[in-house]
Amino acid sequence: MKVAIGCDHGALALKESVKKVLAELGTEIDDIGTYTEDSVDYPDIAEKVCEKVISGEADRGVVLCGTGIGISMAANKIKGIRCALCGEAYSARMARAHNDANVLALGGRVLGPELAGDVVRTFFTQEFEGGRHARRVGKIMALENK
Ligand code: RB5
């Protein structure tokens, strides 16, 4: 699986620790930045990561900012993206099993590396359950065309 990942200046350290977990899981990682402490705008990062997912260049995405809130809001504005902001493993499991989330958002100023590692391992190993959940996800996607 190929994973596109990107963060703003509020989550540089967490991005590096998440990349280690993704590497342990055997994923191919495409890090689109940011790479320094210089301030950047998280919507630009969300757009770059999500474009990779939409184009099929990446199978899934991980986006990080200080809280994870702004970057998840931005990601969810992009057609085809179902971004879930997760602060613990149960939400990550449900985001995949029930919501078929294709992008995970994390808060670099909220989560420590251990908890974030649990979230990432869960998100990238849980399959979508389909069935009644597919109908509901279809309804989410239909909202994009209203
Ligand atoms: C940047 O200072 C901060 O606003 C951003 O990382 C994020 O927390 C926004 O939601």
Side-chain angles (χ1 to χ4, degrees), residues 60-96:
R60 292 199 202 143
V62 181
V63 292
L64 308 93
C65 67
T67 58
I69 295 171
I71 205 157
S72 63
M73 286 180 169
N76 277 316
K77 295 290 182 192
I78 297 168
K79 206 167 183 177
I81 295 299
R82 291 179 301 281
C83 177
L85 171 59
C86 297
E88 29 64 41
Y90 178 78
S91 295
R93 179 168 299 111
M94 291 301 112
R96 288 289 312 129

Side-chain angles (χ1 to χ4, degrees), residues 2 7 13 28 70 80 84 86 91 122 124 138-139:
K2 188 163 179 181
C7 70
E28 192 183 331
C86 297
S91 295
T122 303
F124 283 95
K139 287 186 177 185

